Amino acid sequence: MECKSVHIVYFSPTHTSAKIAYAIAEGMHFKSLLESDITYNTPKGTVDIYDDELTIVAVPVYGGRVAETAMERLRAFRGHKSPVVPVVLYGNRDYEDALLELSDTLTAQGFVVVSGGAFIGEHSYSREDMPIAAGRPDEDDLQIAMRFGRDILLKMDKISSLKGVKKLEVKGNFPYKVKGPSTPQAPVVNEEICNLCGYCEGVCPVSAIVFTDGVAFTDPASCIKCCACVKECPLGARSFDTPYTAMLFQNFCARREPELFI
């Protein structure tokens, strides 16, 4: 089955999902590349994707499930028996039911899942003194992603019609994992360092940061704890402290490798 273009869709506050989506697409060597970055906004109206586009959807995992904000924004996309590759990025602990949840959601929205993958990205809570998958995806991960893209194309070449494609079996359980109640928390600002440049406001995917009385205030009720503002503050003026960081560092330091389903 021949596709004319590849379409990457990603929610990627700290750029890990985007890097993997681009690497998979690079391995496919399509001349036409379409992009839908849903990190900061929900698409206006419905986005229809047809069967001549091969779509890669890459999103982060939060607590073993697809990040809720990503899931909300993905609902704008509608497939028309369109081939899709769901991909999840997790912070070296476990992706649990996220890949199955993403696969099921895309199927319900009219896509046909042809392959899927779980890759590792630096954990949102990772920091210099307690690194958790720091620097991932790294060069090895990107090479695996590019080979994955090539393998997907080889599979597509052998498919004459998506009507005969069996449901792809991926890891995960249904009913999906029930997430516990969220505890509102937001990064702390060192006002002695912060110069109110506004960069943090621009990288926040949910517009949780506002400037009030000369302070960059983050609304804990809106914050999704992606820590994009922490990792990208040019002055290092923001920090996010939680006991969960130490637990992850102590128990999930060993390198994990991507899992691919073709």
Side-chain angles (χ1 to χ4, degrees):
M1 180 177 178
E2 184 178 358
C3 293
K4 295 179 180 179
S5 60
V6 61
H7 187 158
I8 58 173
V9 180
Y10 57 84
F11 178 83
S12 192
T14 56
H15 314 300
T16 57
S17 300
K19 287 178 182 177
I20 289 298
Y22 272 107
I24 295 171
E26 185 177 348
M28 294 178 173
H29 297 295
F30 275 108
K31 292 181 180 179
S32 177
L33 172 66
L34 306 173
E35 175 192 44
S36 292
D37 180 357
I38 58 171
T39 307
Y40 305 106
N41 297 290
T42 301
K44 295 180 180 179
T46 300
V47 181
D48 290 298
I49 298 179
Y50 295 91
D51 60 3
D52 59 349
E53 290 181 24
L54 175 56
T55 305
I56 301 164
V57 178
V59 296
V61 176
Y62 284 9
R65 299 281 300 276
V66 175
E68 292 176 3
T69 306
M71 188 63 78
E72 291 170 4
R73 295 175 183 178
L74 281 173
R75 298 195 190 284
F77 294 84
R78 288 290 178 270
H80 295 266
K81 297 299 181 183
S82 322
V84 70
V85 180
V87 176
V88 296
L89 275 287
Y90 70 103
N92 211 55
R93 185 187 67 83
D94 199 343
Y95 60 94
E96 295 180 271
D97 301 334
L99 184 58
L100 178 63
E101 179 186 18
L102 181 59
S103 178
D104 289 347
T105 298
L106 293 170
T107 299
Q109 290 175 201
F111 292 90
V112 178
V113 177
V114 294
S115 296
F119 286 80
I120 296 82
E122 180 174 319
H123 200 286
S124 297
Y125 298 169
S126 177
R127 59 195 208 196
E128 287 188 10
D129 59 333
M130 287 187 279
I132 309 159
R136 310 248 342 242
D138 56 20
E139 187 57 35
D140 288 343
D141 294 317
L142 297 178
Q143 289 296 324
I144 291 170
M146 285 189 282
R147 289 197 297 271
F148 182 42
R150 290 195 291 270
D151 290 341
I152 294 169
L153 274 192
L154 290 174
K155 178 178 181 178
M156 293 296 294
D157 287 342
K158 298 176 182 178
I159 297 173
S160 58
S161 170
L162 290 176
K163 292 181 180 179
V165 174
K166 296 181 180 179
K167 181 180 179 181
L168 184 73
E169 297 294 330
V170 300
K171 285 175 61 174
N173 296 295
F174 183 83
Y176 311 128
K177 176 184 177 181
V178 177
K179 295 176 66 175
S182 177
T183 303
Q185 186 179 355
V188 175
V189 180
N190 185 332
E191 295 180 26
E192 294 183 359
I193 299 176
C194 177
N195 67 357
L196 302 176
C197 70
Y199 195 79
C200 57
E201 183 182 26
V203 300
C204 179
V206 291
S207 301
I209 301 173
V210 295
F211 289 83
T212 305
D213 298 326
V215 177
F217 172 74
T218 305
D219 178 14
S222 301
C223 178
I224 61 172
K225 306 174 187 177
C226 68
C227 292
C229 63
V230 175
K231 295 179 184 292
E232 298 202 31
C233 174
L235 298 176
R238 302 176 70 86
S239 61
F240 186 84
D241 295 311
T242 169
Y244 199 51
T245 302
M247 185 280 290
L248 290 167
F249 175 68
Q250 292 167 8
N251 297 292
F252 302 101
C253 281
R255 182 183 177 91
R256 299 193 67 173
E257 297 297 336
E259 295 183 47
L260 308 177
F261 303 87
I262 300 176

